[in-house]
Amino acid sequence: MKTLFYAICCVGLLWPSGLRAAEDDESMNRFVSSLLKKMTLEEKIGQLSQCAGGFATGPDNTQLSRTTDISRGLLGSMLNVSGAAETRKYQEAAMKSRLKIPLLFGLDVIHGFRTGFPLPLAEAASFDLEAIKMGARCSAREAAAAGLHWTFAPMVDISWDARWGRVMEGAGEDPYYGAKVAAARVRGLQGDDLSADSTILACIKHFVGYGAAVAGKDYNSVDMSWGHFANFYMPPYKAGVEAGAGTVMSAFNDFENRPCTGNEDLLRGLLKEKWGFQGFVVSDWGSVGEMVNHRYAKDQKEAANKAITAGLDMEMVSECYARNLADLVREKKVPEALLDDAVRRILEQKYKLGLFDDPFRYCNEERERTVIGSERSRREARYMAERSVVLLKNEGAVLPLASSVRRVALIGGLSKSQKDMCGSWTCADESKVVTLYEAMQKRGVEVDFHEGYDLESNEIKDLKGTLKAARRADVVVVAMGERAWESGEMTSKGNISIPEQQQRLVTELVKAGKPVIVLMMCGRPVIFNEVRQQAPAILCTWWLGSEAGPAICNVLWGDYNPSGKLPMTFPTHQGQLPLYYQYKSTGRPYASSGWCAKYIDIPSEPAFPFAFGLSYTTFEYSALKVLPGDGGKVHARVRVEVKNTGRYEGEEVVQLYVRDESASITRPVKELKGFEKIALKPGEGKEVVFDITDEQLGFYDNRMNFVVEKGDFTFMVGTNSRDVDAVSYTLL
Ligand code: GLC
């Protein structure tokens, strides 16, 4: 009897998850299959077409006229339209069509919606996956309240080249960490139930390798082996798909000499067949038509043929599918079954979003008014912003500022710029941004503001007046760096140094004799050697979004002890790029002299290494040791003790790096394979243990097989990728 009771309990426990999911899939399959059967060829092609609404985020936006197709059922999706009322208008047109298939509304909600969050690269500096997931949840909540079903995020492209402006959209240079961030963002956006009115479809982009554009030049060619791709670029795409992302976006660039948008090995072979991806692939803006520019298609008809054959399901903005697919099918050049597969994938996502139950579920103006810009959103944005700040220098413990600091000379127009605080690829309501200037005033500090330098020309302005303000202040705070539009799409730079005059101003301010704190506001790693030498205190504050001002003040005055770590290496010199910490030994490993991998005219060391970040307190690492595994999947454990040896509570990102001492392919000198962010009170210590499994020891061979080889390894643990303690280990 007891056995029967337990059996019933087990089935009961299983019922909600496993069996219900199967039931849901079955009902979705029945619904989609019956709808597909009713669709004409033209209606199918309509579902494969996406046009732009309000504004263009690329060239050739001829699409505004396409909206007439909606009520004829010849359009499946729109991008760059938002707002409960605005989307309702288009959805009502779609409900006039023969089959009443709802439109899918997509937008680049990259770091927050109307409440702006820090840049994705800045969020990555937090090394706080829960906070990153929370940020994505908040973005989804606000976007869904504005009628949106889908965001073209997370961008998960790994990049080692800060000349490429789109590093601001990603999680930096490390594939292990990038994979964790990709999964966190997907889970934050999609939640556990896509039909909830606070979750939206995620989009893993840009598939693949866009961050490896040659010379950091946006849209440029990408040339790498499958083996290099697998170990250094593939993990975040794979993690995002495994986390359940409903869509993937093909990249503009070519890969293995074929544009990703028409690359069957990538879209069908790797993504859909090998990884079993069930969602749909959308092109990047116009990238189907751009295969003609690549000279990979002689005309738009060939481009349509190559894209649909490769597994590209929805065409963003260009009209190759709309104009050519019907002929290609009728001419028997493209099997209609390929279109059916693409349509099915798209209809399934619309079904999961609950749009067939209620096409207007996301068009609730009352919810839009209460959710967007809520106190909860602002609190979460501030929380994320505080944790995104990286303390790069703090000579003489200039920071945190004492509460006795009453007069601050605040230098730099960026401290008053709402627009720049939003960063690029922003949806934020600029008018609601709290700037540093405003936040300082609210703090009751006497703020003596001077522009210091012209925001357009970067030339020093009124140096005399600025120095006078510095001399009569308790401290000097300088907001400097890039303008928000200087990082993002189409912003590749040949020179990532901060303008000389901005840096010269800091040198002059230091001579005034008061403590100078530099806030480096940027969307990418930048070079500022003069400031790095002259200023006693430097915080990298990126672009922190709607709560930038309060977050920076909380860090300056120590209400929050900065815990960020750089997700990308900051170079000393332009010529070092591309620059990354997981480089290979080479046959002549870098040394300071001799026949080795080095430059004769510039240093090889970075200004700040990957994962560098200080705290107002200090942490001591000790007792690093390898412990036995569990005899199963855990080969070994690495244990370390970390103690807060300073005066302030603080958080430390304890990192584990692994080096394979000898392998069947050349391997990097070290790779991040684990991290844990811990909070410690002054004097408090904690033991941190990392499990060593195949994930920490394995790699992809040149045939893309994940392998683990026996032999010697070195485990390194520390506070950044350079300052580590090491211990040896042999896998038998
Ligand atoms: C842009 C970007 C892509 C974005 C899309 C829609 O060109 O490359 O990241 O999602 O077009 O705006």
Side-chain angles (χ1 to χ4, degrees), residues 111-182:
H111 48 109
F113 184 57
R114 292 286 177 258
T115 304
F117 272 66
L119 299 179
L121 189 65
E123 288 188 346
S126 69
F127 278 78
D128 184 337
L129 296 176
E130 279 310 306
I132 289 169
K133 182 177 171 185
M134 173 205 71
R137 289 279 320 103
C138 183
S139 304
R141 207 170 40 243
E142 289 203 351
L148 290 163
H149 309 131
W150 179 24
T151 176
F152 308 122
M155 182 277 223
V156 303
D157 303 316
I158 292 297
S159 184
W160 294 346
D161 197 326
R163 289 173 290 184
W164 190 56
R166 299 197 75 166
V167 293
M168 56 74 60
E169 294 174 59
E173 71 190 52
D174 183 75
Y176 172 86
Y177 181 52
K180 304 293 184 193
V181 172

Side-chain angles (χ1 to χ4, degrees), residues 111 116-119 385 418 421-423 428 433-434 543-549:
H111 48 109
F117 272 66
L119 299 179
Q418 291 181 306
M421 291 300 141
C422 297
V433 170
V434 181
W543 296 118
L544 293 174
S546 301
E547 285 288 312

Side-chain angles (χ1 to χ4, degrees), residues 584-621:
K584 299 196 176 173
S585 305
T586 76
R588 297 193 173 181
Y590 165 66
S592 53
S593 64
W595 301 67
C596 65
K598 72 177 191 314
Y599 302 102
I600 61 167
D601 57 347
I602 60 172
S604 290
E605 291 78 11
F608 299 102
F610 173 77
F612 183 87
L614 303 173
S615 169
Y616 293 152
T617 191
T618 50
F619 298 102
E620 183 185 83
Y621 285 69

Side-chain angles (χ1 to χ4, degrees), residues 411 448 450 461-472:
I411 314 298
D448 187 353
H450 283 258
K461 277 174 85 171
D462 181 21
L463 180 58
K464 196 158 171 278
T466 306
L467 292 176
K468 192 172 170 201
R471 280 191 282 273
R472 59 171 187 259

Side-chain angles (χ1 to χ4, degrees), residues 56-59 79-80 107-108 110 152-153 155 166 169 205-206 210 219 249 252 283-285 316 425 489:
T57 40
L79 78 151
N80 298 349
L107 183 72
D108 293 283
I110 307 295
F152 308 122
M155 182 277 223
R166 299 197 75 166
E169 294 174 59
K205 73 181 187 183
H206 304 80
Y210 185 16
Y219 315 126
M249 181 184 289
F252 288 124
S283 75
D284 201 339
W285 181 287
M316 179 188 286
W425 276 122
E489 184 173 356

Side-chain angles (χ1 to χ4, degrees), residues 499-654:
E500 212 174 287
Q501 285 291 300
Q502 281 193 38
Q503 300 198 58
R504 179 59 38 74
L505 174 63
V506 170
T507 301
E508 294 306 318
L509 285 166
V510 168
K511 289 177 190 168
K514 293 294 175 62
V516 175
I517 296 115
V518 166
L519 307 178
M520 191 53 70
M521 298 178 167
C522 53
R524 69 173 91 200
V526 288
I527 296 170
F528 47 97
N529 295 326
E530 185 174 345
V531 168
R532 194 159 58 92
Q533 274 120 35
Q534 294 293 331
I538 305 171
L539 289 163
C540 178
T541 63
W542 316 99
W543 296 118
L544 293 174
S546 301
E547 285 288 312
I552 294 172
C553 282
N554 288 347
V555 168
L556 286 172
W557 271 274
D559 301 332
Y560 181 76
N561 180 359
S563 61
K565 300 282 186 182
L566 295 176
M568 282 188 83
T569 304
F570 274 48
T572 309
H573 191 284
Q574 184 74 30
Q576 296 173 325
L577 296 174
L579 183 63
Y580 46 99
Y581 83 92
Q582 63 279 55
Y583 55 86
K584 299 196 176 173
S585 305
T586 76
R588 297 193 173 181
Y590 165 66
S592 53
S593 64
W595 301 67
C596 65
K598 72 177 191 314
Y599 302 102
I600 61 167
D601 57 347
I602 60 172
S604 290
E605 291 78 11
F608 299 102
F610 173 77
F612 183 87
L614 303 173
S615 169
Y616 293 152
T617 191
T618 50
F619 298 102
E620 183 185 83
Y621 285 69
S622 63
L624 176 61
K625 194 173 169 53
V626 179
L627 304 174
D630 63 3
K633 292 186 174 164
V634 179
H635 303 295
R637 287 190 170 94
V638 176
R639 167 200 177 282
V640 70
E641 283 188 13
V642 183
K643 185 176 180 183
N644 180 341
T645 50
R647 294 172 49 207
Y648 299 97
E649 273 191 52
E651 293 158 283
E652 169 69 330
V653 180
V654 183

